[in-house]
Every structure is written in structure tokens, then in C-alpha cells.
Amino acid sequence: VQLQASGGGLVKAGGSLRLSCVVSGYTFSRLAMGWFRQAPGKEREFVGGITWSGGSTLYGDSVKGRFTISRDNAANTVTLQMNNLQVEDTAVYYCAARTEPHVTRWSGASPDDYAYWGQGTQVTVSS
């Protein structure tokens, strides 16, 4: 399974960015997808996840209400729309995939729950 993330960049606080992750090598509609981020010196943090069908999403507390995850199973793509970005959102963002269908706080919100990872894309938010 290969994951290719893109869309990172530099943005001012209050601005928006849209990250995309294209998946190949597996039936995309049988992968639950997650987004994580890691800032320098910090642990990898759960940003959000989406189930196989896209019918359910889960978000980390720090991004809830600002970030939105969606997926297009026909295009093998998962997207992270990030609005009202803050300086503390600065990190490398990773997309990840798991073969289990669900994303819940007990299964799918930890990096250990994901077998496949993209290369990461840098998001930098300036004040």
C-alpha cells in the first residue's frame, strides 16, 4: 500500500490549507484512513480519521470544529480541510491507512492502529 500526501505549505494564522492523500496498491474502499501530525520534540498526535465508507469521522480535540476529513473512494483520495489555522498547528502531517473499517477512540486514534503511512507534508502557520 502506498500513500502520497500533498498540499502542505506556509500560511498565516487564521488561514486555510487543504491536504490530500492518494492511495494505491489496495482497495481504497476497504481502508479506514487517518491523519496524524508531529511537531518537533512532540509525539505523533491524532488529528482525525474516517471510516471505510466515509459515513463516520472522528477528530482530535485540538482540531475539532476547524478541520474536516472527507474521502472520495472513486479517486482513492482522502482530504483534510484545515480552517482557522493556528501557530500550534505547525507540524508534519501524515496520512495513514488501516484495514479495519472503523475509527473510534478505542481503535483508530493511535498511530499503532495504522499499518500504512505516507511520507508526511509540512504545514507551517505563522503569526
Side-chain angles (χ1 to χ4, degrees):
V1 182
Q2 293 80 45
L3 291 76
Q4 181 70 43
S6 62
L10 174 64
V11 64
K12 289 186 176 181
S16 297
L17 278 176
R18 186 179 181 91
L19 305 184
S20 294
C21 177
V22 179
V23 179
S24 61
Y26 201 89
T27 303
F28 182 67
S29 59
R30 290 297 179 262
L31 293 171
M33 300 298 299
W35 285 96
F36 290 79
R37 67 186 183 186
Q38 190 164 19
K42 294 188 176 182
E43 293 186 352
R44 193 162 293 191
E45 177 189 13
F46 176 73
V47 173
I50 189 166
T51 55
W52 282 7
S53 66
S56 179
T57 55
L58 179 71
Y59 296 96
D61 290 341
S62 60
V63 307
K64 201 173 297 183
R66 300 188 296 125
F67 291 10
T68 302
I69 296 175
S70 60
R71 66 188 294 157
D72 182 347
N73 284 354
N76 292 359
T77 301
V78 61
T79 299
L80 179 66
Q81 176 67 43
M82 305 184 293
N83 297 330
N84 191 22
L85 282 160
Q86 304 300 311
V87 171
E88 52 266 32
D89 294 318
T90 296
V92 177
Y93 283 70
Y94 298 89
C95 61
R98 65 197 300 253
T99 55
E100 290 77 7
H102 303 300
V103 177
T104 70
R105 292 204 176 276
W106 302 274
S107 178
S110 166
D112 294 339
D113 295 332
Y114 292 81
Y116 308 105
W117 291 84
Q119 84 285 6
T121 184
Q122 176 71 46
V123 171
T124 303
V125 185
S126 63
S127 59

